[in-house]
Amino acid sequence: LEHWTYVCESCGHTESIETEHWRCPVCGGAFGLEGPNRLIPDKIDPSAPGLWRYGHLLPVDTSDAVSLGEGMTALVPGKLAGRTVRFKLDALLPTGSFKDRGAALLAAHLNRIGRRRVIVDSSGNAAAALSGYSAAAGLECAVFAPAATSPGKLVQSRAFGAAVTLVEGTRDDVARAAQDAAANDRSAFYASHNWHPVFVEGVKTWMLEVWEQLGGRQPAMVFVPTGGGSALVGAWRGIQALPGQPARLVASQPAACAPVVSAVERGTSIEPTTPGTTIAEGTKIGSPSRSRQILAAISETQGTARAVSEQEIVDTLRELWGQGLYVEPTAAVGAAACRQMILAGDTLPAGDIVVLLTGSGLKATETIEKLIGDD
Amino acid sequence: LEHWTYVCESCGHTESIETEHWRCPVCGGAFGLEGPNRLIPDKIDPSAPGLWRYGHLLPVDTSDAVSLGEGMTALVPGKLAGRTVRFKLDALLPTGSFKDRGAALLAAHLNRIGRRRVIVDSSGNAAAALSGYSAAAGLECAVFAPAATSPGKLVQSRAFGAAVTLVEGTRDDVARAAQDAAANDRSAFYASHNWHPVFVEGVKTWMLEVWEQLGGRQPAMVFVPTGGGSALVGAWRGIQALPGQPARLVASQPAACAPVVSAVERGTSIEPTTPGTTIAEGTKIGSPSRSRQILAAISETQGTARAVSEQEIVDTLRELWGQGLYVEPTAAVGAAACRQMILAGDTLPAGDIVVLLTGSGLKATETIEKLIGDD
């Protein structure tokens, strides 16, 4: 563990693995982690459950880990607009989204540093994931959610025993309330999926699994729903650990909230945008914290970014459901970008096309019921 | 495949693997399958996805299979009333329940025999599983459900493209409507989880996985929620394939509907009972079709049957959720029986205690919201 260092993506300031800061104390930027991030095939431990097989690449002590069955989700062939692609089924993780990979790592991290109270701001998958892993690890969990959150979305977190606080105001107000609560309590920890680099180091395991599942090769291109960017930056961290030609990452966003796409198209940094209305709620993040890591993930893999319309998301959902893949709207954003390129006749690189499916359709029954209402 | 034979559990009548009957044409009894059901460790194929690693024990041709990521669910340690047990997480299967194991086999079976239309009677997990695998296999699916089914429970099946028909009357009326629809259509197939033996041969893989996950040994005792009995009879079929001392099977039922428990206690055959009110809807089956196989599974493994109260189910749900295991009420019935024995001070056999968790909590948001309403 002493080989890992927190590095601010903005100013380069470093902190040791023992730091208690969740963002750069100098400039406020997001941290990444640098360390022994190089896959050594002989060190993969097939006897360890799920993602823990990659213990040698993780900045936690696996003896601190709890397991709910996270990782080693299936990679299955399927179709988009008639073309064969491979879907990575992270919707089938324990609490129903890819965020379990990050939450599992954070729970192990907290066990090590001895914090007993997990504080998170989220109304959706991150709250469920952190609540679930907190329960498994015997930690308290406090969820701060926007006042407008529908009660049904918080049932899972509440069942896990999380204390839910509803906060009036903007999404930033909610985050600030969580950060303040953590700052005033020495036993607490702001376990943010949007900020904490240990979370991303957990998420990277999805790409390591894909590499193994393809028989030890990287895919040619990878489509990732992108909001706060942890799935995308996680994929990049995985790619960095792998041998061979890097997979090209495609950050996929709803057109109603596409600050990454705008930045890539203009060749600028990511500028905050006000999210419009989209069915893909999990990607409705106008100002992602890890903005430089997101752009680096795209440029260093020779990737790109694509915006998809609401209609494209809905059409893609129907294609996915129609082949037995039950995902929530946000999870279809990567697939929608892939389908858009295929339908547009864009040339896809030779090799495997992989699409990450991030969250379960069982989380969005009401929304899906409305969508299929006319069928 | 020619080594497999349908055998009626009641009169012993046999049919070849090519039969089109879903129940015994002589006496109306439920079929079981007899064949090469003996695990050969060298024939386990770790390169095959999920449960297909056990292809040599399955009465289908694996080249007919479609995959949505079924099988190889985690076996994780956890607690019930303070005692360590192991939970088999079949709630994390692709459509959210253990029934995906049976549905995956039935889809492969249908591909082989060339039927294109799947007919199923269910309002819950079986409908979702058969609809999902029908979609994956490119088959049509028709779901017959009780008129009183809440619309939310059918959203998943409808998203998969199933045509849903609501039927007034009793549960038997619903089954009869489905059977009639299948009988009048030569391209159709009554793919009943309650009757078809191929379904059970898929379900048996959960026990084969447990054996491997325990390092090649059988557990000492296994707790299984029991309604129609496919999870229990599947476990027994798995045990029959395995070397070593058979695991003792405990059929677990809600006290409000416990015809198996009554039969075991009285030493009689299973007599139809009128189900009372229970939160564990999936086990609300007053007259299971595979009644002899259920009793044989218990007696031949020196197992038993336990009834649990509604309060015990709710208390167990809280224990499961409180350790990060998000399951629906029906899924807690096996765990509740185990917890009941522990709290009563009953002697459990030395060795591993395994509890099957059958279905996802994400399927029961409304019910769970009511249960945690007072917290």
Side-chain angles (χ1 to χ4, degrees):
Chain A
L1 286 188
E2 67 277 13
H3 299 296
W4 291 91
T5 307
Y6 287 67
V7 181
C8 172
E9 64 164 31
S10 294
C11 74
H13 172 75
T14 63
E15 294 268 335
S16 83
I17 190 73
E18 304 301 332
T19 187
E20 304 199 341
H21 295 292
W22 52 267
R23 72 193 297 176
C24 176
V26 175
C27 77
F31 278 126
L33 272 161
E34 289 187 2
N37 191 38
R38 193 68 60 183
L39 185 84
I40 301 168
D42 285 351
K43 287 197 175 175
I44 297 173
D45 178 4
S47 73
L51 61 80
W52 302 106
R53 67 201 281 111
Y54 305 111
H56 73 288
L57 296 175
L58 302 178
V60 297
D61 190 330
T62 55
S63 66
D64 293 317
V66 292
S67 180
L68 294 173
E70 56 289 336
M72 288 313 278
T73 55
L75 181 71
V76 301
K79 299 268 185 191
L80 285 174
R83 190 191 197 288
T84 297
V85 300
R86 288 170 190 274
F87 295 109
K88 179 64 171 167
L89 304 186
D90 269 16
L92 302 182
L93 284 167
T95 78
S97 87
F98 80 98
K99 293 204 164 84
D100 287 336
R101 297 182 185 273
L105 268 274
L106 275 182
H109 181 67
L110 268 67
N111 267 340
R112 190 177 70 85
I113 65 176
R115 300 291 183 90
R116 307 308 302 164
R117 194 150 172 266
V118 177
I119 296 188
V120 52
D121 54 306
S122 160
S123 60
N125 291 335
L130 268 308
S131 300
Y133 279 88
S134 294
L139 306 171
E140 278 182 61
C141 185
V143 169
F144 290 76
T149 308
S150 91
K153 285 191 76 175
L154 293 165
V155 169
Q156 192 180 9
S157 296
R158 291 176 61 213
F160 287 140
V164 174
T165 304
L166 297 176
V167 181
E168 301 284 350
T170 67
R171 187 66 185 75
D172 281 345
D173 293 331
V174 180
R176 206 164 305 116
Q179 291 157 13
D180 289 349
N184 294 328
D185 179 350
R186 289 287 306 165
S187 70
F189 186 87
Y190 179 50
S192 173
H193 59 294
N194 284 323
W195 285 98
H196 211 284
V198 167
F199 188 91
V200 170
E201 297 297 309
V203 174
K204 78 181 174 195
T205 56
W206 83 262
M207 184 59 67
L208 307 176
E209 293 174 11
V210 166
W211 182 82
E212 274 201 84
Q213 288 165 327
L214 291 175
R217 72 172 183 264
Q218 295 208 33
M221 189 169 262
V222 174
F223 291 83
V224 188
T226 302
S230 65
L232 184 83
V233 177
W236 180 45
R237 292 291 292 160
I239 288 169
Q240 288 178 311
L242 294 170
Q245 174 79 17
R248 295 169 64 180
L249 291 174
V250 183
S252 310
Q253 303 199 293
C257 183
V260 176
V261 179
S262 300
V264 168
E265 286 177 353
R266 291 192 315 252
T268 63
S269 59
I270 295 173
E271 285 168 23
T273 181
T274 304
T277 302
T278 174
I279 197 173
E281 290 187 3
T283 43
K284 211 169 150 177
I285 295 177
S287 180
S289 347
R290 301 182 181 97
S291 58
R292 287 173 193 244
Q293 293 170 66
I294 289 170
L295 293 181
I298 295 167
S299 64
E300 293 192 14
T301 64
Q302 299 187 279
T304 186
R306 303 285 290 209
V308 293
S309 71
E310 296 300 296
Q311 189 61 51
E312 286 174 319
I313 296 170
V314 171
D315 290 345
T316 304
L317 278 168
R318 288 178 201 269
E319 275 203 23
L320 294 169
W321 298 337
Q323 52 198 306
L325 300 165
Y326 196 56
V327 298
E328 63 179 343
T330 300
V333 170
C338 180
R339 182 172 170 279
Q340 181 191 73
M341 287 180 73
I342 294 165
L343 287 174
D346 292 356
T347 308
L348 293 173
D352 299 295
I353 306 298
V354 167
V355 177
L356 179 66
L357 298 180
T358 47
S360 170
L362 293 171
K363 296 201 169 209
T365 300
E366 282 178 41
T367 305
I368 295 173
E369 190 167 14
K370 279 178 207 150
L371 287 177
I372 61 175
D374 304 331
D375 292 8
Chain B
L1 286 188
E2 68 275 16
H3 299 296
W4 291 91
T5 306
Y6 287 68
V7 182
C8 172
E9 64 164 33
S10 292
C11 73
H13 172 76
T14 63
E15 294 269 334
S16 82
I17 191 71
E18 305 300 333
T19 187
E20 305 200 339
H21 294 292
W22 52 267
R23 71 194 297 175
C24 177
V26 175
C27 78
F31 278 127
L33 273 161
E34 289 187 1
N37 191 36
R38 193 68 60 187
L39 185 83
I40 301 168
D42 286 349
K43 287 198 175 176
I44 297 173
D45 178 4
S47 73
L51 60 80
W52 302 106
R53 66 200 282 113
Y54 305 110
H56 74 287
L57 296 175
L58 303 178
V60 296
D61 191 330
T62 55
S63 66
D64 293 316
V66 292
S67 179
L68 294 173
E70 57 288 335
M72 289 312 277
T73 55
L75 181 72
V76 300
K79 298 270 185 190
L80 285 174
R83 191 192 198 287
T84 296
V85 300
R86 288 170 192 273
F87 295 109
K88 179 65 172 166
L89 304 187
D90 269 15
L92 302 183
L93 284 166
T95 79
S97 87
F98 80 98
K99 294 204 163 84
D100 287 336
R101 298 182 184 274
L105 268 274
L106 275 182
H109 181 66
L110 268 68
N111 266 341
R112 190 176 72 83
I113 65 175
R115 300 290 183 91
R116 307 307 302 163
R117 195 151 172 265
V118 177
I119 296 188
V120 51
D121 55 306
S122 160
S123 60
N125 291 334
L130 268 308
S131 300
Y133 279 88
S134 294
L139 306 170
E140 278 182 62
C141 185
V143 169
F144 289 76
T149 307
S150 90
K153 285 190 76 175
L154 293 164
V155 169
Q156 191 180 10
S157 297
R158 290 177 60 214
F160 287 139
V164 174
T165 303
L166 297 176
V167 181
E168 300 283 350
T170 67
R171 187 67 187 74
D172 281 345
D173 294 330
V174 179
R176 207 165 303 115
Q179 292 156 13
D180 290 348
N184 294 328
D185 178 350
R186 289 288 303 163
S187 71
F189 186 88
Y190 180 52
S192 174
H193 59 293
N194 284 324
W195 285 99
H196 211 283
V198 167
F199 188 92
V200 170
E201 297 297 308
V203 175
K204 80 181 172 194
T205 56
W206 82 263
M207 185 59 68
L208 307 176
E209 292 174 9
V210 166
W211 181 82
E212 274 200 85
Q213 288 166 327
L214 291 175
R217 72 172 184 263
Q218 294 207 35
M221 188 168 264
V222 175
F223 292 83
V224 188
T226 302
S230 64
L232 185 84
V233 177
W236 179 46
R237 292 290 293 159
I239 288 167
Q240 289 178 311
L242 294 170
Q245 174 78 18
R248 295 169 66 180
L249 291 174
V250 183
S252 310
Q253 302 198 295
C257 183
V260 176
V261 179
S262 300
V264 169
E265 286 176 354
R266 292 192 314 253
T268 64
S269 59
I270 295 174
E271 285 168 23
T273 179
T274 304
T277 302
T278 174
I279 195 172
E281 289 188 3
T283 43
K284 211 168 151 179
I285 294 177
S287 181
S289 344
R290 302 182 180 95
S291 58
R292 287 172 194 244
Q293 293 170 67
I294 290 170
L295 294 182
I298 295 166
S299 64
E300 294 193 13
T301 64
Q302 299 188 280
T304 187
R306 302 285 291 210
V308 293
S309 70
E310 296 299 297
Q311 188 62 50
E312 286 174 320
I313 296 171
V314 172
D315 291 345
T316 303
L317 278 168
R318 289 179 198 268
E319 275 202 24
L320 293 170
W321 299 337
Q323 53 198 306
L325 300 165
Y326 196 57
V327 297
E328 63 180 343
T330 300
V333 170
C338 180
R339 182 172 170 279
Q340 181 190 72
M341 287 180 72
I342 294 165
L343 287 174
D346 292 356
T347 307
L348 293 174
D352 299 293
I353 306 299
V354 168
V355 177
L356 179 66
L357 298 181
T358 48
S360 170
L362 293 170
K363 296 201 170 209
T365 301
E366 281 177 42
T367 306
I368 295 173
E369 190 169 12
K370 279 177 206 147
L371 287 176
I372 61 176
D374 305 331
D375 291 8

